Amino acid sequence: MTVLDLDGPDARHPGLVGGKAANLAELRAAGFDVPSGFCVTTDAYRRAADAAGLDEVLGRAEDAALAAAARKALLAVPIAPDVEAAVAEAYERLGDRVPVAVRSSATAEDLPSASFAGQQDTYLNVVGTEAVLDAVRRCWASLWTDRAASYRASAGIDGHEVALAVVVQRMADARVAGVLFTADPVSGRRTRSVIDASPGLGEAVVSGAVNPDHVVVEGSTIDYRPGDKAVEVRAVPGGGTEQVAGSDRRGERALTDDEVRALVALGRRVEAHYGAPQDIEWAIDTAGAVRLTQSRPITTLHPLPEPSGPGLRAYLCLSLAQGLTRPITPMGIAAFRVIGAAGSRLGFGIPADELAGPSALAVAGGRVFVDVTAALRNAVGRRIVPRILDVMEARSAVVLRKLMDEPAFAVRTRSPWSFARRVLRVLVRYRVPLQIGRALAAPAAARRRVRRVGDGLTAALPPATTGLERHDRALALLGRVFPVLPTVAPVAGAGFLALGLARALAGPEIDARTTHDLLRSLPHNVTTEMDLELWQVAVRLRADDPSVARLRAGSGPLPELLRDELDRFLRRHGHRAVAEIDIGVPRWRDDPSYVLGVLAGYLRLAIDGDRASTPDAMFARGAAAAEKAVADVVARVRRRSRPRALVVGWALQRTRELAGLRETHKDHLVRLIAAARTDLVAVGAELAGRGLLAEADDVFFLDLAEARSALLGADHRDVVAQRREDHARELRRRHVPRVLLSDGTEPEALSAPAAGDGALVGTPASAGEVTGLARVVLDPADAHLEPGEILVVPSTDPGWTPLFLTAGGLVMEMGGANSHGAVVAREYGIPAVVGVPDATGVITTGQRITVDGAAGSVLLTPA
């Protein structure tokens, strides 16, 4: 059928698929006051598209020129006679030349992940059959506006698969109209309703042509801020609309308090019907009736974690704190639960189910959050947690400190003993003070102990041949992850304690700049060692013409020398990856294309670059600068006290010998995760071979319990398909909240970031100043970084750091002064600023910027 009513049996017809047509029919069926009308279905559009030869026009990739050609073709084709007759008949049933709204309804709009608001056209106050038919044709053509084609591309939707229905509805005789959000679209607060209202048709508000009244409602409180309402869109007798300019009307309210409350109540009913916050268009007619003209999901809100306790809760995004903006696979989240359960049980003596994880761990939008409410309400916890975040993810620390002023997070536990008892349990169980003392006494022996821990990570595991055995072995490997942290990290911690001792004794002789120099080019850092090893591979390959040609081409078989060098590198570092804390992400040994891409960049520098600017030369200069800084500090302190100078010199040497191991525990954790991944890949292969999964990697879209049930015969292919779709949608999400409250509020959104004099401001991470061209990189797998370009990224983990060797500077949205990116930038001596809000959105590739790593500022010049 080509025309369907929005009422009666037609409302349940499969032809009303997707978009506002289906939504409006559903809302009318649910009893909401939605203007009556009919729908010209997607079948009619497809017939018009076939008649216009649209497939031939779109035979090439979609772009602006093709979109224009598609519009032209659809506007030129006549509407099929039977469709024309059906539209005319349906229109006449509404009344004699009744004014209607003719509205586009694409199959890909009003989705949970993409609203498509305003991307296709709407025509208001259309009067007469010929005018309705013309508006239908123009709606079809609007599927191919440049803005709609671009929006589809950014949302990952194939435009060739999209079709368009057209909704024709009676016009509401609007006295006032506007938009209602059932959650605050800025802060995310789900308990708040936000209304924009202006006299006349809602088009003035939706299009942004008017400064409307702005109303925020929370509970019984109405915050009403009148706008000037100087523009009004009105229906013109006989058809069409006009925009009428008037005087400033701030002294008048478009809505009474009763009307505001009626709108809020309507919004809550619609939200309850759909089970999600809604973006609603509404009108109040001259009789005072509230009419619902459209409802769609608010697509920009981040999903909420399941409540982990009573009252208002605060959740810290652990994914972001680990430098990960992308969603984690379901199996990756399952691994977090196992690791967290082991930490809760072994470290703090708090029972936790092995597969469910600790109660404080929560998941939303494929990201892992931790409930920090108890820490904020504890006198000791609220001091310690932000200080830890100061060096890991500084902006999260700022947000948490502001939350401490909220009554909901006031201190409830002042005694330090409950918190201290749990910390002491970890210190005693893993002999942390003894480890620190032994490391300070004999650094070389401590490093050998850490190496032995790494060598024994996968020792004494039972053999595994069946899928169930491999599943259980993967679970056992993940159970070994947490104990590595208190076993290995104290050695590096001893180095930083030594630095603290030196600073306390030296006083002003060790300022921020000197500290930066002291920590440059630290030895025994597994991440920088890995990057420099890869650089040496490039040096060895530069004289081998076949290898050079293959790396420059970017594809083709690997020449013998390149293959041998790559295999040698991957034998030691093939367990690494970008986003490596997610067990579902392929390792470099699974897919070395990223490593080959980095090698190609290194090769350009090895062949054409200045010898003084090569990574090994810069690292050597950094080490020399650090040794000089140690000597200078000791000399200055000696002038005041010779015994004190001896202690300061000893402490700084211990810092140099031990602090570089701060990356080792992460490397060990990733080795265990990679080993567990190998077993799970085998489980996936078995399930795919038995027809229970479509492909082996589908196992990473199950959790551990589901993988076991699949091995016992359960078919989870539908679950996997849905989760892959959800994961792909979340991959497109650009903004992830650092801290999220259980009512949906994102506290950081309530305060604007600091800035001044045209500069972006963040946290100083690596001193120095550099001016150069920016290279914005969202995914390092697709990165092409020219030597000297300034790398601008959302976040980094060790898998990103090979790019640092050729970068002129670093700007990072996430992180703190001691995050991975900051540490590696200091060791390579490149200026870096981290924790810069929305850096990848504000800065564009090719824009000249100046990074001042000591001041923590990024100065922009026009793009």
Side-chain angles (χ1 to χ4, degrees):
M1 296 178 69
T2 56
V3 175
L4 296 168
D5 283 335
L6 296 179
D7 298 303
D10 281 358
R12 294 180 291 277
H13 194 282
L16 286 175
V17 293
K20 63 175 66 71
N23 289 347
L24 292 172
E26 180 179 345
L27 290 166
R28 280 187 64 82
F32 290 97
D33 190 353
V34 177
S36 60
F38 62 90
C39 171
V40 184
T41 68
T42 54
D43 287 344
Y45 167 82
R46 290 192 173 98
R47 287 174 60 184
D50 289 344
L54 208 59
D55 285 343
E56 183 178 345
V57 172
L58 300 175
R60 301 180 303 280
E62 183 179 333
D63 59 25
L66 292 175
R71 291 197 302 274
K72 183 178 179 181
L74 285 167
L75 287 170
V77 71
I79 298 177
D82 61 314
V83 175
E84 187 174 301
V87 170
E89 181 182 346
Y91 175 63
E92 289 170 6
R93 284 200 300 271
L94 294 178
D96 182 23
R97 291 181 58 81
V98 63
V100 293
V102 182
R103 314 171 71 188
S104 303
S105 176
T107 52
E109 72 179 17
D110 295 351
L111 300 175
S113 61
S115 70
F116 277 83
Q119 300 305 311
Q120 286 84 223
D121 290 345
T122 288
Y123 300 95
L124 300 178
N125 198 41
V126 180
V127 178
T129 301
E130 290 302 319
V132 169
L133 290 168
D134 179 63
V136 167
R137 184 188 292 106
R138 284 187 285 160
C139 282
W140 287 341
S142 74
L143 184 62
W144 294 97
T145 60
D146 293 344
R147 65 180 183 273
S150 174
Y151 190 100
R152 284 194 296 268
S154 67
I157 295 171
D158 185 355
H160 300 75
E161 301 298 324
V162 176
L164 188 130
V166 179
V167 175
V168 180
Q169 288 178 281
R170 283 178 173 271
M171 282 285 294
D173 186 12
R175 174 182 61 80
V176 58
V179 176
L180 159 68
F181 291 93
T182 65
D184 188 336
V186 177
S187 72
R189 186 170 296 171
R190 305 304 203 263
T191 56
R192 180 177 289 173
S193 296
V194 179
I195 302 169
D196 284 338
S198 192
L201 301 179
E203 176 65 16
V205 176
V206 173
S207 67
V210 69
N211 180 19
D213 289 359
H214 184 72
V215 191
V216 178
V217 183
E218 186 155 16
S220 60
T221 303
I222 299 175
D223 179 12
Y224 201 113
R225 301 178 186 177
D228 60 35
K229 301 179 288 294
V231 173
E232 185 175 332
V233 175
R234 300 173 181 166
V236 176
T241 61
E242 62 178 354
Q243 193 174 96
V244 180
S247 58
D248 190 322
R249 299 164 68 182
R250 293 180 195 273
E252 305 173 18
R253 285 178 45 161
L255 296 171
T256 66
D257 282 355
D258 285 344
E259 288 171 333
V260 168
R261 283 188 279 268
L263 285 169
V264 171
L266 170 66
R268 293 301 172 206
R269 286 175 53 215
V270 177
E271 181 181 72
H273 175 78
Y274 283 113
Q278 296 291 299
D279 167 3
I280 295 169
E281 294 179 23
W282 54 270
I284 298 178
D285 64 20
T286 52
V290 179
R291 315 296 302 277
L292 175 60
T293 59
Q294 183 169 322
S295 185
R296 53 179 167 246
I298 304 176
T299 60
T300 55
L301 299 178
H302 195 280
L304 296 180
E306 287 293 323
S308 53
L312 190 64
R313 316 297 295 182
Y315 297 95
L316 172 72
C317 186
L318 195 59
S319 297
L320 279 186
Q322 285 294 312
L324 197 60
T325 56
R326 57 179 286 151
I328 299 174
T329 59
M331 188 62 78
I333 291 170
F336 264 88
R337 294 187 188 279
V338 173
I339 296 166
S344 178
R345 187 175 61 255
L346 300 176
F348 301 105
I350 303 173
D353 182 270
E354 185 175 42
L355 298 183
S359 60
L361 191 145
V363 176
R367 279 90 183 175
V368 176
F369 290 80
V370 61
D371 186 344
V372 294
T373 308
L376 294 177
R377 292 172 177 170
N378 183 283
V380 178
R382 62 168 38 206
R383 288 200 299 268
I384 292 177
V385 172
R387 288 180 182 176
I388 293 172
L389 290 170
D390 280 335
V391 296
M392 286 178 57
E393 221 299 296
R395 286 169 61 196
S396 295
V398 172
V399 176
L400 289 185
R401 286 190 173 101
K402 288 183 178 178
L403 272 185
M404 293 175 192
D405 296 330
E406 297 293 326
F409 302 107
V411 171
R412 299 186 183 182
T413 306
R414 295 194 176 276
S415 170
W417 293 115
S418 62
F419 188 88
R421 190 165 51 247
R422 291 172 180 173
V423 174
L424 285 171
R425 178 186 174 92
V426 178
L427 297 179
V428 172
R429 181 185 181 95
Y430 292 98
R431 300 185 296 174
V432 172
L434 178 62
Q435 289 189 66
I436 291 173
R438 292 171 67 185
L440 291 172
R447 292 195 298 270
R448 287 194 295 272
R449 284 195 298 274
V450 168
R451 195 175 305 116
R452 286 196 297 272
V453 171
D455 293 341
L457 288 174
T458 57
L461 282 171
T465 54
T466 69
L468 283 171
E469 289 171 343
R470 286 185 176 275
H471 172 280
D472 293 345
R473 189 166 69 179
L475 183 57
L477 283 163
L478 293 172
R480 294 184 176 195
V481 169
F482 172 77
V484 169
L485 182 62
T487 303
V488 173
V491 177
F496 286 102
L497 284 174
L499 177 61
L501 173 64
R503 294 179 68 172
L505 293 175
E509 305 301 341
I510 301 181
D511 56 14
R513 181 57 187 263
T514 304
T515 301
H516 166 265
D517 288 340
L518 292 169
L519 295 176
R520 285 186 65 183
S521 300
L522 286 170
H524 316 301
N525 184 319
V526 66
T527 302
T528 53
E529 287 174 352
M530 173 186 73
D531 298 342
L532 290 169
E533 280 182 40
L534 193 58
W535 164 253
Q536 290 302 325
V537 171
V539 171
R540 291 192 291 271
L541 290 175
R542 64 185 172 186
D544 184 61
D545 291 342
S547 296
V548 172
R550 165 60 180 81
L551 288 170
R552 283 178 170 170
S555 61
L558 300 182
E560 182 179 1
L561 181 60
L562 175 55
R563 185 175 61 251
D564 291 346
E565 290 284 359
L566 182 64
D567 288 346
R568 186 180 300 112
F569 177 82
L570 293 178
R571 276 197 296 274
R572 184 170 180 190
H573 302 292
H575 60 288
R576 307 306 297 248
V578 175
E580 60 195 4
I581 61 171
D582 183 356
I583 200 171
V585 171
R587 309 290 111 174
W588 286 345
R589 65 186 174 216
D590 302 327
D591 178 8
S593 56
Y594 171 65
V595 177
L596 290 170
V598 172
L599 261 178
Y602 285 4
L603 203 61
R604 290 193 295 273
L605 183 60
I607 293 173
D608 304 322
D610 176 11
R611 180 69 187 89
S613 65
T614 59
D616 51 352
M618 293 175 64
F619 192 83
R621 283 201 302 275
E627 292 303 324
K628 183 178 184 301
V630 171
D632 289 347
V633 168
V634 171
R636 291 195 297 271
V637 174
R638 185 181 292 118
R639 297 190 191 108
R640 293 188 281 120
S641 169
R642 191 175 188 86
R644 181 172 294 201
L646 289 172
V647 178
V648 168
W650 172 86
L652 292 179
Q653 288 300 333
R654 289 298 185 263
T655 298
R656 298 287 302 167
E657 291 181 274
L658 296 171
L661 274 76
R662 72 172 301 280
E663 296 284 314
T664 304
H665 71 273
K666 176 76 177 289
D667 181 74
H668 287 359
L669 305 185
V670 173
R671 285 182 185 276
L672 285 167
I673 289 172
R677 175 184 165 81
T678 299
D679 276 331
L680 290 172
V681 167
V683 169
E686 178 179 320
L687 292 172
R690 291 166 55 186
L692 293 170
L693 291 178
E695 53 188 81
D697 273 3
D698 282 352
V699 73
F700 296 108
F701 288 86
L702 301 175
D703 61 28
L704 285 160
E706 291 163 343
R708 172 173 274 277
S709 70
L711 288 166
L712 297 175
D715 188 338
H716 294 301
R717 283 177 291 183
D718 289 345
V719 171
V720 167
Q722 181 60 54
R723 287 181 182 166
R724 279 194 177 275
E725 184 179 320
D726 294 344
H727 189 76
R729 181 182 68 247
E730 285 298 327
L731 279 170
R732 295 191 293 271
R733 188 184 295 278
R734 287 294 307 278
H735 176 72
V736 180
R738 285 173 167 76
V739 177
L740 188 64
L741 303 188
S742 55
D743 67 356
T745 302
E746 184 183 343
E748 190 177 23
L750 299 178
S751 58
D757 299 327
L760 302 179
V761 177
T763 301
S766 180
E769 184 173 310
V770 62
T771 298
L773 299 181
R775 173 72 64 173
V776 179
V777 177
L778 303 179
D779 183 349
D782 303 324
H784 177 86
L785 187 70
E786 292 294 335
E789 288 184 326
I790 297 171
L791 189 62
V792 182
V793 299
S795 64
T796 64
D797 63 11
W800 283 74
T801 58
L803 293 174
F804 290 18
L805 283 181
T806 55
L810 172 70
V811 178
M812 197 161 77
E813 291 181 338
M814 312 299 173
N818 221 21
S819 57
H820 293 292
V823 169
V824 176
R826 284 196 296 270
E827 299 204 0
Y828 292 155
I830 62 173
V833 180
V834 301
V836 181
D838 198 28
T840 61
V842 176
I843 300 171
T844 58
T845 293
Q847 185 173 9
R848 185 168 293 277
I849 64 176
T850 298
V851 177
D852 187 334
S857 65
V858 182
L859 185 64
L860 311 182
T861 57

